[in-house]
Amino acid sequence: MKSQTVALFALVFAAVGFAHDHHHEDQIPLNYVKYPYQAVYPGDNEVTADSIFSGITTFAKLPWVQCLGKDRDTTFDIAFIGAPFDTGTSYRPGARFGPAGIRAGSRRLTLYGGYNVPLEVNPFHSGLKIVDCGDIPVTPYDNKFAIQQIEGGHRELLHRPAFSPLGNDALTGKPLVPISVDGKNHPRVVTLGGDHTIVLPLLRSIHSAYGPISVIHFDSHLDTWKPSVFGGAPSDQAAINHGTYFYWASQEGLIKNGSSIASILFPCLPTPITECFDPRPADYANDDASGFRRIEAREIDTIGTDGIIKRIRETVGDRPVYLSIDIDSIDPAFAPATGTPETGGWSTRELRTIIRGLDGLHIVSADIVEVAPAYDTNAELTTMAAADVLFEVISVMAKTPLGKVAN
């Protein structure tokens, strides 16, 4: 009996010691595989729709990698990263919970395996290493410091070497070389906002690898207002917000601005302007000066999605491009949970169609912003729409490497 008691105590002691030796950061979500980092998704004739609601929620059940922590040496091809910042918004706050909401809305993206029928690609089975890096730690108390945190976190991910080599050109068979200005093969970073202020630090990060970048901007607002107009700039920090970040990006030389409306260097497409949003003539003039051409939401009634796609592609050409998507470009009938909703926008289907029309463009990175889950329906309409839009984005990314044939 005594020997049994001693053995029992030894077993308990060993168990307690094991518990104390176990590190929390070594845990990974239920049903995920750590090596390789490619998530396990069903293929043809395999079981689907199997408990996708279980486990820790990452984007599309991707492997969770602590890219800014203990896994800071891990490489990848596409990384999702959250930027939970919403203290630059002018109307309804709540986008700090956007990253968590979008991840929840993405749970059924791989319900049937993740194959994108119109684009004929499964981005999760494309051979790319795609991970969810969690969120950038963002303070809610100091906007200046938070913006620095966002830029620093994004830059740290962007400047890691890509996991996969560029390979050869599909048409010529010749080796591809990077399109970045520093000559390196950078991974792509998809940022989950957060209000739209976050795009200023993101573009600062992008500039460090690609120089002045062309931007495709889907939004129901211009976001190029002068700080003296939008909010009145009561302080230097208040001058940077979700309505002025593109003004500052233009001033800092982060985007490819043109000197006149006719210039071929007008690289950016702001924005489906919705019917109820009524900018003043001076706002359009300032938007022109910031280097933007415009497509208005109502034009879809006359030129259709094909016409929208054609004008976008004619504007950006074959230049490297950054994609920024404000969820309020979708009509609130389909995506009500946002900080500054405007009626008269596009449907979720129309926006997804337009993004698929960007197939072949060199999208270097992207974001989706202004998702504020507190205003959503119980059916998670907005967060599902955001996740589905990003599914189209990474499908386009998966088909086009960030390389070109050397001259």
Side-chain angles (χ1 to χ4, degrees):
M1 179 71 178
K2 182 177 180 181
S3 61
Q4 292 177 337
T5 302
V6 170
L8 177 62
F9 273 110
L11 180 62
V12 171
F13 180 79
V16 172
F18 177 78
H20 282 292
D21 288 340
H22 185 67
H23 298 290
H24 175 72
E25 63 266 20
D26 291 333
Q27 297 181 19
I28 60 177
L30 182 66
N31 294 332
Y32 292 16
V33 290
K34 189 170 184 181
Y35 300 104
Y37 283 99
Q38 187 72 42
V40 176
Y41 296 117
D44 287 345
N45 301 316
E46 295 183 13
V47 174
T48 62
D50 184 22
S51 299
I52 61 164
F53 44 80
S54 65
I56 296 174
T57 303
T58 62
F59 189 88
K61 295 183 71 68
L62 287 167
W64 172 49
V65 179
Q66 297 183 49
C67 303
L68 301 177
K70 70 180 186 65
D71 300 320
R72 62 179 61 251
D73 294 327
T74 297
T75 58
F76 45 79
D77 296 307
I78 300 175
F80 286 86
I81 188 75
F85 172 93
D86 67 359
T87 46
T89 190
S90 58
Y91 191 46
R92 301 195 302 199
R96 68 182 63 183
F97 300 107
I102 296 167
R103 289 186 175 103
S106 74
R107 284 176 294 193
R108 14 82 36 213
L109 275 181
T110 55
L111 179 64
Y112 307 113
Y115 185 74
N116 190 317
V117 174
L119 287 176
E120 299 181 331
V121 66
N122 185 330
F124 307 110
H125 276 170
S126 62
L128 297 179
K129 184 175 173 181
I130 310 177
V131 301
D132 188 330
C133 289
D135 292 348
I136 299 171
V138 177
T139 179
Y141 305 111
D142 185 333
N143 280 14
K144 181 178 181 180
F145 188 68
I147 288 173
Q148 293 171 352
Q149 288 177 305
I150 294 167
E151 179 184 353
H154 189 277
R155 187 186 293 238
E156 184 171 334
L157 300 184
L158 182 67
H159 282 274
R160 293 186 192 181
F163 176 78
S164 301
L166 286 174
N168 297 330
D169 180 63
L171 295 177
T172 66
K174 295 180 179 179
L176 295 174
V177 297
I179 60 174
S180 60
V181 295
D182 61 6
K184 298 178 181 178
N185 181 19
H186 294 274
R188 289 157 157 138
V189 182
V190 179
T191 307
L192 312 176
D195 77 51
H196 226 148
T197 311
I198 69 170
V199 170
L200 179 58
L202 298 185
L203 288 178
R204 288 170 175 168
S205 171
I206 291 293
H207 186 270
S208 68
Y210 294 96
I213 193 76
S214 297
V215 176
I216 299 173
H217 173 210
F218 294 111
D219 202 316
S220 66
H221 309 93
L222 296 171
D223 292 357
T224 53
W225 282 284
K226 293 180 179 179
S228 59
V229 173
F230 195 90
S235 68
D236 289 344
Q237 193 53 52
I240 301 174
N241 57 59
H242 77 158
T244 64
Y245 62 93
F246 267 135
Y247 169 84
W248 290 113
S250 175
Q251 294 293 306
E252 294 179 19
L254 305 180
I255 57 180
K256 281 185 177 292
N257 295 334
S259 58
S260 71
I261 190 67
S263 172
I264 194 172
L265 294 178
F266 278 111
C268 310
L269 265 288
T271 66
I273 307 299
T274 60
E275 295 291 349
C276 76
F277 172 61
D278 188 19
R280 298 164 296 183
D283 297 331
Y284 279 136
N286 190 62
D287 195 56
D288 294 341
S290 296
F292 285 85
R293 289 181 177 176
R294 286 175 297 280
I295 297 176
E296 298 195 0
R298 57 182 172 266
E299 294 185 62
I300 203 168
D301 297 329
T302 54
I303 65 175
T305 55
D306 287 344
I308 301 289
I309 294 165
K310 182 174 182 290
R311 288 176 57 181
I312 292 174
R313 299 184 72 98
E314 287 174 348
T315 301
V316 301
D318 61 356
R319 292 182 285 268
V321 62
Y322 182 85
L323 178 59
S324 184
I325 305 167
D326 191 323
I327 198 66
D328 70 18
S329 58
I330 299 177
D331 191 272
F334 307 96
T338 188
T340 47
E342 306 286 0
T343 63
W346 293 339
S347 70
T348 309
R349 182 178 65 184
E350 289 165 342
L351 181 57
R352 292 183 67 176
T353 298
I354 291 166
I355 291 175
R356 287 196 295 268
L358 307 182
D359 185 19
L361 296 185
H362 291 103
I363 301 176
V364 302
S365 284
D367 66 72
I368 195 161
V369 297
E370 301 285 356
V371 175
Y375 312 110
D376 213 354
T377 69
N378 291 337
E380 300 178 311
L381 289 181
T382 310
T383 56
M384 284 197 300
D388 287 348
V389 165
L390 289 181
F391 173 66
E392 304 293 355
V393 172
I394 63 171
S395 296
V396 171
M397 288 179 170
K399 295 184 67 177
T400 306
L402 296 179
K404 61 182 179 180
V405 176
N407 294 328

PDB file of all heavy atoms in Angstrom, residues 168-176 405:
ATOM      1  N   ASN A 168       9.188  30.525 -63.060  1.00  0.00           N
ATOM      2  CA  ASN A 168       9.346  30.973 -64.445  1.00  0.00           C
ATOM      3  C   ASN A 168       8.040  31.533 -65.002  1.00  0.00           C
ATOM      4  O   ASN A 168       6.949  31.194 -64.532  1.00  0.00           O
ATOM      5  CB  ASN A 168       9.817  29.816 -65.329  1.00  0.00           C
ATOM      6  CG  ASN A 168      11.181  29.302 -64.932  1.00  0.00           C
ATOM      7  OD1 ASN A 168      12.007  30.069 -64.422  1.00  0.00           O
ATOM      8  ND2 ASN A 168      11.414  28.019 -65.141  1.00  0.00           N
ATOM      9  N   ASP A 169       8.171  32.376 -66.007  1.00  0.00           N
ATOM     10  CA  ASP A 169       7.015  32.952 -66.671  1.00  0.00           C
ATOM     11  C   ASP A 169       6.227  31.863 -67.395  1.00  0.00           C
ATOM     12  O   ASP A 169       6.808  31.013 -68.087  1.00  0.00           O
ATOM     13  CB  ASP A 169       7.467  34.026 -67.654  1.00  0.00           C
ATOM     14  CG  ASP A 169       6.304  34.664 -68.388  1.00  0.00           C
ATOM     15  OD1 ASP A 169       5.459  35.290 -67.721  1.00  0.00           O
ATOM     16  OD2 ASP A 169       6.243  34.535 -69.621  1.00  0.00           O
ATOM     17  N   ALA A 170       4.889  31.890 -67.241  1.00  0.00           N
ATOM     18  CA  ALA A 170       4.054  30.834 -67.806  1.00  0.00           C
ATOM     19  C   ALA A 170       4.060  30.839 -69.333  1.00  0.00           C
ATOM     20  O   ALA A 170       3.880  29.791 -69.965  1.00  0.00           O
ATOM     21  CB  ALA A 170       2.621  30.984 -67.293  1.00  0.00           C
ATOM     22  N   LEU A 171       4.281  31.998 -69.939  1.00  0.00           N
ATOM     23  CA  LEU A 171       4.239  32.090 -71.400  1.00  0.00           C
ATOM     24  C   LEU A 171       5.580  31.821 -72.047  1.00  0.00           C
ATOM     25  O   LEU A 171       5.677  31.061 -73.023  1.00  0.00           O
ATOM     26  CB  LEU A 171       3.730  33.471 -71.820  1.00  0.00           C
ATOM     27  CG  LEU A 171       2.281  33.802 -71.431  1.00  0.00           C
ATOM     28  CD1 LEU A 171       1.937  35.227 -71.847  1.00  0.00           C
ATOM     29  CD2 LEU A 171       1.310  32.810 -72.060  1.00  0.00           C
ATOM     30  N   THR A 172       6.625  32.443 -71.513  1.00  0.00           N
ATOM     31  CA  THR A 172       7.941  32.339 -72.151  1.00  0.00           C
ATOM     32  C   THR A 172       8.834  31.276 -71.544  1.00  0.00           C
ATOM     33  O   THR A 172       9.808  30.845 -72.171  1.00  0.00           O
ATOM     34  CB  THR A 172       8.671  33.689 -72.074  1.00  0.00           C
ATOM     35  OG1 THR A 172       8.960  33.992 -70.691  1.00  0.00           O
ATOM     36  CG2 THR A 172       7.809  34.804 -72.663  1.00  0.00           C
ATOM     37  N   GLY A 173       8.512  30.874 -70.317  1.00  0.00           N
ATOM     38  CA  GLY A 173       9.363  29.924 -69.630  1.00  0.00           C
ATOM     39  C   GLY A 173      10.617  30.538 -69.039  1.00  0.00           C
ATOM     40  O   GLY A 173      11.436  29.836 -68.429  1.00  0.00           O
ATOM     41  N   LYS A 174      10.782  31.847 -69.192  1.00  0.00           N
ATOM     42  CA  LYS A 174      11.969  32.519 -68.668  1.00  0.00           C
ATOM     43  C   LYS A 174      11.818  32.795 -67.175  1.00  0.00           C
ATOM     44  O   LYS A 174      10.702  32.956 -66.684  1.00  0.00           O
ATOM     45  CB  LYS A 174      12.205  33.833 -69.413  1.00  0.00           C
ATOM     46  CG  LYS A 174      12.531  33.646 -70.890  1.00  0.00           C
ATOM     47  CD  LYS A 174      12.763  34.993 -71.564  1.00  0.00           C
ATOM     48  CE  LYS A 174      13.121  34.818 -73.041  1.00  0.00           C
ATOM     49  NZ  LYS A 174      13.325  36.135 -73.712  1.00  0.00           N
ATOM     50  N   PRO A 175      12.931  32.870 -66.439  1.00  0.00           N
ATOM     51  CA  PRO A 175      12.860  33.120 -65.001  1.00  0.00           C
ATOM     52  C   PRO A 175      12.242  34.499 -64.703  1.00  0.00           C
ATOM     53  O   PRO A 175      12.460  35.463 -65.447  1.00  0.00           O
ATOM     54  CB  PRO A 175      14.321  33.071 -64.557  1.00  0.00           C
ATOM     55  CG  PRO A 175      15.025  32.312 -65.624  1.00  0.00           C
ATOM     56  CD  PRO A 175      14.313  32.621 -66.896  1.00  0.00           C
ATOM     57  N   LEU A 176      11.473  34.560 -63.641  1.00  0.00           N
ATOM     58  CA  LEU A 176      10.898  35.823 -63.194  1.00  0.00           C
ATOM     59  C   LEU A 176      11.825  36.498 -62.196  1.00  0.00           C
ATOM     60  O   LEU A 176      12.510  35.840 -61.404  1.00  0.00           O
ATOM     61  CB  LEU A 176       9.539  35.580 -62.538  1.00  0.00           C
ATOM     62  CG  LEU A 176       8.420  35.034 -63.427  1.00  0.00           C
ATOM     63  CD1 LEU A 176       7.189  34.699 -62.592  1.00  0.00           C
ATOM     64  CD2 LEU A 176       8.064  36.039 -64.516  1.00  0.00           C
ATOM     65  N   VAL A 405       9.471  39.181 -66.328  1.00  0.00           N
ATOM     66  CA  VAL A 405      10.603  38.678 -67.105  1.00  0.00           C
ATOM     67  C   VAL A 405      11.620  39.795 -67.242  1.00  0.00           C
ATOM     68  O   VAL A 405      11.264  40.929 -67.598  1.00  0.00           O
ATOM     69  CB  VAL A 405      10.153  38.185 -68.483  1.00  0.00           C
ATOM     70  CG1 VAL A 405      11.351  37.751 -69.324  1.00  0.00           C
ATOM     71  CG2 VAL A 405       9.169  37.030 -68.333  1.00  0.00           C
TER      72      VAL A 405
END
